[in-house]
Amino acid sequence: MSTADTSPWVLEADGIQLSFGARPLLTDIYLRVQTGQIVALLGRNGCGKSTLLQTIFGARTVPDASVRVNGRRVVPAYPVPGLMSYLPQVPLLPGHLPAITAAGLLGVDVEEALADFPELREQVRSGQRLNELSGGTLRLLQVLLLVARSSRFLLLDEPFSGIMPLHVERLADLLRAAKRRTGLLITDHRYAEVLALADVVYLLRNGRLELLRNPESDLRDRGYLAS
């Protein structure tokens, strides 16, 4: 799938049903992400957000799951070149690697990827290994490397986790810029930051995915935001 044209691409996922023992986790799912959009996936801990991202990417096999791009089934999605990048909650790359080597494995120009974060760029230039970085710095580096990749869709699970507030602001600006060329699906418990970015907001609760028409008021009514 070439990334050369500029027409919108559409990612859809449905038919995803998953239970853990007798407990239904995902039961009524339909999700849509279009290039040029930032889509937020919100919900409480343990509601299945990470599982849903894994299923869309293809890291988790769910029988009868349908994941489509422009109407064409892509299950699993991850082997398709240039289609999808995914940030899991666990470390993305082996910790013993120097950061600059990790960038090379992802096919990313590290100087370009870190251009807006000169302090992080200096750490990478110094040859530091991934496991020598603080948790927040490592998280930021991983997000920046994935944003710099040429992918139609970018799935980010907790991209703001542990990141300093100053860096969160700069990262948010980069994500806004990235949506000009990709579609982003973001889940994070920092609701204020995510809502400020999102064009579309879904809420996952009781296994069902609900498209919120008035996100802030809907979340407040359901007890997800303080009144």
Side-chain angles (χ1 to χ4, degrees):
M1 292 186 178
S2 169
T3 58
D5 67 86
T6 57
S7 57
W9 284 39
V10 176
L11 166 67
E12 296 173 287
D14 59 15
I16 298 171
Q17 299 190 46
L18 184 66
S19 298
F20 287 152
R23 176 195 167 215
L25 186 66
L26 301 173
T27 61
D28 188 10
I29 300 298
Y30 175 78
L31 181 144
R32 184 183 189 278
V33 183
Q34 180 176 304
T35 53
Q37 286 183 333
I38 296 177
V39 176
L41 172 62
L42 304 181
R44 303 197 192 281
N45 282 335
C47 72
K49 301 185 302 297
S50 295
T51 300
L52 180 54
L53 292 186
Q54 292 163 10
T55 303
I56 293 170
F57 184 65
R60 178 185 291 270
T61 301
V62 175
D64 302 322
S66 177
V67 178
R68 304 178 301 281
V69 172
N70 295 345
R72 194 182 89 182
R73 190 172 186 270
V74 284
V75 178
Y78 66 82
V80 182
L83 181 63
M84 200 175 294
S85 294
Y86 166 55
L87 175 77
Q89 289 191 28
V90 298
L92 180 66
L93 295 161
H96 68 275
L97 292 177
I100 196 164
T101 302
L105 289 177
L106 292 173
V108 172
D109 182 330
V110 72
E111 294 290 326
E112 181 179 335
L114 306 185
D116 293 306
F117 294 83
E119 63 276 30
L120 179 53
R121 188 173 55 196
E122 290 307 312
Q123 285 183 272
V124 170
R125 285 173 174 170
S126 73
Q128 278 194 293
R129 300 180 185 276
L130 296 178
N131 57 17
E132 295 173 335
L133 301 173
S134 69
T137 300
L138 176 60
R139 196 67 178 165
L140 176 61
L141 174 65
Q142 292 177 132
V143 176
L144 293 174
L145 294 179
L146 289 182
V147 169
R149 299 188 81 200
S150 294
S151 299
R152 287 292 185 182
F153 298 98
L154 179 56
L155 282 52
L156 299 175
D157 195 344
E158 302 284 347
F160 298 125
S161 178
I163 296 178
M164 293 188 298
L166 175 62
H167 288 166
V168 168
E169 292 178 12
R170 274 190 268 170
L171 178 57
D173 288 339
L174 280 181
L175 295 178
R176 288 188 186 94
K179 80 173 185 177
R180 292 197 296 264
R181 55 181 172 79
T182 191
L184 294 96
L185 177 60
I186 300 176
T187 180
D188 203 289
H189 288 98
R190 299 181 69 149
Y191 284 7
E193 286 81 359
V194 175
L195 289 173
L197 287 171
D199 302 295
V200 177
V201 178
Y202 288 97
L203 177 65
L204 181 59
R205 63 172 185 161
N206 301 323
R208 298 177 182 274
L209 202 57
E210 179 183 359
L211 176 63
L212 301 184
R213 302 297 180 183
N214 301 289
E216 291 196 23
S217 61
D218 290 344
L219 290 168
R220 193 170 291 111
D221 291 345
R222 291 162 176 77
Y224 289 83
L225 291 176
S227 300

